[in-house]
Amino acid sequence: MILDGRSYLCAIPSFSIPPQNETVKAKDKAEEAAELARATDRGWELLKEMEGNCMYFISGWWSYSFCYNTDIKQFHQLPPGKGAPMYPPVEDPSTPSYVLGKFERGQYSPSDSQNSKRNRIDPPKGDTAPFSSPNNNKQSSTPHLRAKGDLRYLVQTLSGGTTCDLTGRPRKIEVQFHCHPQSADRIGWIKEVTTCAYLMVIYTPRLCNDVAFLPPRANKAAPITCQEVLTSASDIPAWRERKQKDKDMKHAAASATGGRPIVGGIEVGGMKLVGKEGQRIETPPNTAFTMAADGEGGVIKSETLAQQESHEQGGKLTKVSDEELKKMGLDPGVVEGARRELSE
């Protein structure tokens, strides 16, 4: 490759895709179906440890409770204080509350037949829309595994909620259980997807104990590496000079955004006013200061604008008046902001 008039030798990674025939594809599909059936049963065994626990989610006016194997409820929280804690939210009995869905006792057990296992698996169509699988009510209330590419999670639709005034039908909610290795059991989010039909996503580390539910690994792009081609030994000094120049430019760019604090419009440690080899000014303790050239010899001056005693000495603050600051050409607001930043 030739770039900017210079030659480079580049290494491009190569990948080989193993050939597959119809027999291998059919075998892989059968093995995948068996693995999904196993993962479904194992997943619900892991989630059984949630029984007896409740989780809460606060979103504006509404609060939500999820009590495993009981129900999901939408209610208004009592204002914190006077015995009502901030968390968990306590339901206000004077305002309406709604059950979004109820768990049906005994609607699932891992000892179900193989046929029901097949019904509890969604094919990997890439569709994550709520209530999109299976079609009949019996199947939709049955826990099932949904696959989207390499991502797998458990889904259950709960019905039997409070009757909706707009539709005349009971409220229902789809609950998705996702593996999240770095999170405690928590409600990720909840939304009303259609009138009185809801979707709730729960993150739990419990499912991460089965490899089938682990998040897919990120596919990193394979790097293309290039090395400059030098035609003779005489090119080496110029090459080294270019490499050093590139290194210096990267270092300068990193230094420009090094995250130094800005106090009173001055980048502390930036050496923009005195220069790297220039005169250094020792900052008096507990003072805000201004620096300016005298216009003749470039001498840097320091003026004490504010000084505060220590707490042991009484903490008295002495500062230059706003009129004197304006005579110096300084904005009193900027100086006051700098004093506050230093005091913090």
Side-chain angles (χ1 to χ4, degrees):
M1 181 180 73
I2 298 178
L3 180 64
D4 296 333
R6 290 189 286 271
S7 300
Y8 293 85
L9 179 63
C10 299
I12 300 177
S14 60
F15 301 93
S16 58
I17 301 176
Q20 286 190 342
N21 54 41
E22 294 301 322
T23 304
V24 173
K25 290 181 180 180
K27 182 180 179 181
D28 291 344
K29 190 173 182 180
E31 291 178 351
E32 182 182 10
E35 170 61 13
L36 293 180
R38 180 207 64 79
T40 302
D41 286 339
R42 177 57 178 158
W44 290 109
E45 289 176 0
L46 294 171
L47 292 183
K48 283 180 64 177
E49 300 174 4
M50 284 186 177
E51 193 161 2
N53 297 329
C54 293
M55 291 176 279
Y56 300 90
F57 185 79
I58 302 174
S59 178
W61 170 264
W62 292 111
S63 296
Y64 300 86
S65 64
F66 170 91
C67 297
Y68 188 73
N69 256 355
T70 304
D71 59 21
I72 299 175
K73 200 171 186 180
Q74 180 188 51
F75 60 92
H76 178 55
Q77 177 187 13
L78 274 175
K82 296 182 179 181
M86 174 68 74
Y87 192 89
V90 178
E91 181 180 345
D92 185 351
S94 64
T95 59
S97 62
Y98 306 95
V99 174
L100 305 186
K102 296 179 181 179
F103 286 85
E104 297 178 16
R105 292 289 181 176
Q107 70 178 13
Y108 169 77
S109 67
S111 60
D112 287 346
S113 66
Q114 293 296 325
N115 289 333
S116 65
K117 283 184 181 180
R118 285 195 294 269
N119 290 336
R120 292 197 307 274
I121 301 173
D122 278 355
K125 297 179 180 179
D127 184 7
T128 58
F131 318 111
S132 61
S133 63
N135 293 326
N136 62 63
N137 293 332
K138 181 179 179 180
Q139 287 180 329
S140 62
S141 63
T142 302
H144 54 279
L145 185 147
R146 183 173 295 168
K148 181 183 179 182
D150 294 331
L151 179 65
R152 298 185 179 97
Y153 52 93
L154 293 176
V155 180
Q156 187 170 14
T157 300
L158 309 181
S159 57
T162 305
T163 300
C164 178
D165 295 338
L166 299 177
T167 64
R169 295 189 295 269
R171 287 172 167 82
K172 62 180 179 179
I173 183 169
E174 176 178 294
V175 186
Q176 298 181 0
F177 299 90
H178 292 252
C179 158
H180 197 303
Q182 298 176 342
S183 171
D185 295 335
R186 66 181 180 90
I187 300 173
W189 48 270
I190 181 172
K191 65 179 179 180
E192 187 174 9
V193 291
T194 59
T195 303
C196 295
Y198 305 83
L199 171 63
M200 175 180 283
V201 172
I202 292 179
Y203 297 119
T204 173
R206 303 177 193 273
L207 289 179
C208 304
N209 291 320
D210 193 295
V211 66
F213 298 101
L214 288 174
R217 295 181 179 179
N219 293 325
K220 296 183 178 180
I224 299 176
T225 58
C226 297
Q227 298 291 336
E228 186 175 350
V229 177
L230 304 180
T231 57
S232 65
S234 60
D235 296 334
I236 296 178
W239 174 80
R240 288 177 175 171
E241 184 178 351
R242 288 196 303 272
K243 297 291 287 185
Q244 185 62 42
K245 185 178 179 181
D246 292 342
K247 184 178 179 181
D248 293 342
M249 290 178 63
K250 291 180 180 179
H251 179 73
S255 300
T257 58
R260 298 188 185 95
I262 306 296
V263 179
I266 299 173
E267 182 181 356
V268 179
M271 300 183 182
K272 295 182 178 180
L273 297 174
V274 297
K276 189 173 182 180
E277 303 299 331
Q279 179 183 357
R280 293 179 179 271
I281 300 175
E282 297 297 330
T283 307
N286 299 322
T287 63
F289 62 89
T290 181
M291 295 180 291
D294 64 355
E296 296 178 359
V299 179
I300 302 298
K301 295 181 180 180
S302 174
E303 297 287 347
T304 300
L305 304 181
Q307 186 169 1
Q308 187 174 15
E309 297 177 348
S310 64
H311 292 291
E312 292 78 7
Q313 296 174 335
K316 182 181 179 181
L317 174 65
T318 304
K319 64 177 184 178
V320 177
S321 66
D322 292 349
E323 290 75 13
E324 293 176 338
L325 289 174
K326 291 178 181 179
K327 291 179 181 179
M328 298 178 188
L330 298 174
D331 185 350
V334 174
V335 175
E336 177 64 18
R339 184 194 67 78
R340 290 179 180 177
E341 291 181 44
L342 289 172
S343 63
E344 292 174 357

